[in-house]
Amino acid sequence: MFQIAMIPSPTKHHVIRNTTKRRCIHNILLPIAITNALLLSTTTSLTNNGHQKRCYYRFSFVKSTARKNCISGVSPNNFYPSQHKSSSFPKAVGSTLLFGASADDDVSSDNRSVETTTTESLADQLSALNFRNVVAVVGAGASVSAGIPDFRSPGTGLYHKLEKYNLPYPEAIFDLNYYRTINPMPFVDLCQSIWPGQETGPKPTIAHKFLKLLQDKGCLRRIYTQNIDGLEALAGVYTENLVECHGNFRNSSCIKCDEPVDSIVCRETMFRGSVPTCPSCGSYVKPDIVFFGEELPGRFQQLIERDLYDCDLLLVLGTSLMVNPVAEIPTWVRKDCSRMLLNRELVGDFYSSNNVNRDAFMKGDCDDSVRRLCQLAGWDKDLEQL
C-alpha cells in the first residue's frame, strides 16, 4: 500500500500560501505502488468547517521534474474503485497538473467555445509534418464501428448489455474480487466477444488506420490506449509505439500466484464457456487485462513522463476521460502543446478558459472526424489506401 500526507484544513492562523513563483511542495513522496483507476480517483471533496482539506503528493514515476500535485480529497487507503459506480470517478482531477501548471489554474468547463479555425490550422501543420511527437490517447469510441460497444452509452454501451448478469455495479465485470469470489462468467462472456485475432472478430476501424498513418508519416510518438481489443496492433502500429494501459490478451496469468499460463489455453477454455484455472495453485486465470485495483503495466510508468514532455500535439479519440490515471494525460502535457479532441462531446478540461487557444474539437464519431481531419490535411487518399 501507499501512504499520503494530509495537510490540515486551513484556518485563520494556518494558511498555506503559494508564492509568486508557485514553489513546489517537496519531500512528500508516494512510493511506486500505482494502481489503475485508484491513485487519481481520490478527488471527492471533503470539508471541515467550510474549508477543504488538501493533500499533496508526488508520483514516483514522475521523478525530479514533477511539479506540485494538489488535489482535494480523501486518502486512497479509504477509497477502492470497485466499491463505487462510475459516477464516483471524476471526469478530471482539475488541479492535478504535472507539467507547466499550478493548482491555482482554472480548469473549469464553463464558457467553452469551439473555433473551427484552430482545427484547420492544426490540420495544416499535420500536412506540413510540423508535428513530430504526436501522442494519442485512445478510448472505446475508436472501436465502436468495429462492433465493439463503448462502456457508458445509454442503451448500447457494454455496461447496459451486461444487465442480464445482474451486476451490483457495472464495473464489477473488471473487479478482481468479483471475478475471484462471486461470478467470473460476465468477464468470460466478454472475452468470447472481443478476443483479438478471431476470423469473424472485430477489425481495425478508420480511426485505427489513422493512427497507423501517423506512424507511416513519421509523426507518431506514442499511443496510450485504454482499449483491450488489440485493434491498434492489428492495424499495424508497432509495439514500441503502443502503450496498452489496461493490458492485453497476448499473455495470461493466475490471479493468485501470478504464474504465467499459455494464452491459447486460456482462450480455448473461455471459448468453451468455462473459467480457466492455474495448473500450479488451482486459482482462476485471466488474460493480463488490468482490473480495477491492479497496477498499470510498468511500460506506462517508464514512458509517460518523457513522452508528454516532448509531445507537440496531443490527440484524444473516443473517450469520456472518466478513468484515471489515463484520464489525466491531457492535463499533464506542457502548456505550449496543442491538443485536439475527436469525440462525441467535450470532455475533461478541453476548452476551459486556460486552454481555449490551444485546443481543437471535432464533434462526432471518431471515424467521421478522422475522415474530415485527413481531408483538411490532404491525407484522405493516404487513408483510403490503408
Side-chain angles (χ1 to χ4, degrees), residues 167-179:
L167 297 173
Y169 45 91
E171 291 84 356
I173 191 173
F174 297 119
D175 184 325
L176 193 60
N177 185 62
Y178 190 86
Y179 182 78

Side-chain angles (χ1 to χ4, degrees), residues 337-380:
C337 176
S338 300
R339 309 188 309 174
M340 176 176 283
L341 175 67
L342 292 78
N343 206 44
R344 290 178 178 175
E345 59 186 0
L346 281 169
V347 293
D349 70 339
F350 276 87
Y351 276 97
S352 65
S353 58
N354 285 345
N355 297 316
V356 66
N357 292 327
R358 66 167 177 164
D359 285 353
F361 173 47
M362 301 190 75
K363 184 176 181 178
D365 293 337
C366 285
D367 286 355
D368 293 338
S369 296
V370 161
R371 288 190 182 97
R372 295 200 307 270
L373 178 59
C374 285
Q375 288 174 352
L376 290 172
W379 289 1
D380 45 334

Side-chain angles (χ1 to χ4, degrees), residues 254-270:
C254 175
I255 64 174
K256 181 178 181 180
C257 69
D258 294 326
E259 180 76 18
V261 175
D262 190 333
S263 193
I264 295 178
V265 174
C266 179
R267 181 190 65 190
E268 291 177 348
T269 303
M270 286 187 164

Side-chain angles (χ1 to χ4, degrees), residues 169-209:
Y169 45 91
E171 291 84 356
I173 191 173
F174 297 119
D175 184 325
L176 193 60
N177 185 62
Y178 190 86
Y179 182 78
R180 178 194 294 115
T181 63
I182 302 176
N183 186 7
M185 291 312 298
F187 182 70
V188 171
D189 185 51
L190 173 66
C191 288
Q192 292 175 359
S193 62
I194 68 170
W195 198 295
Q198 301 180 64
E199 185 175 344
T200 58
K203 300 295 188 293
T205 66
I206 295 295
H208 296 114
K209 293 177 180 179

Side-chain angles (χ1 to χ4, degrees), residues 121-132 219 377 379:
S121 64
L122 291 182
D124 288 342
Q125 292 187 66
L126 275 174
S127 178
L129 302 180
N130 290 337
F131 295 122
R132 311 303 292 181
C219 301
W379 289 1

Side-chain angles (χ1 to χ4, degrees), residues 1-4 38 42 74-80:
M1 293 297 292
F2 52 83
Q3 295 180 343
I4 195 165
L38 178 59
T42 58
V74 298
S75 168
N77 294 325
N78 298 324
F79 184 93
Y80 189 70

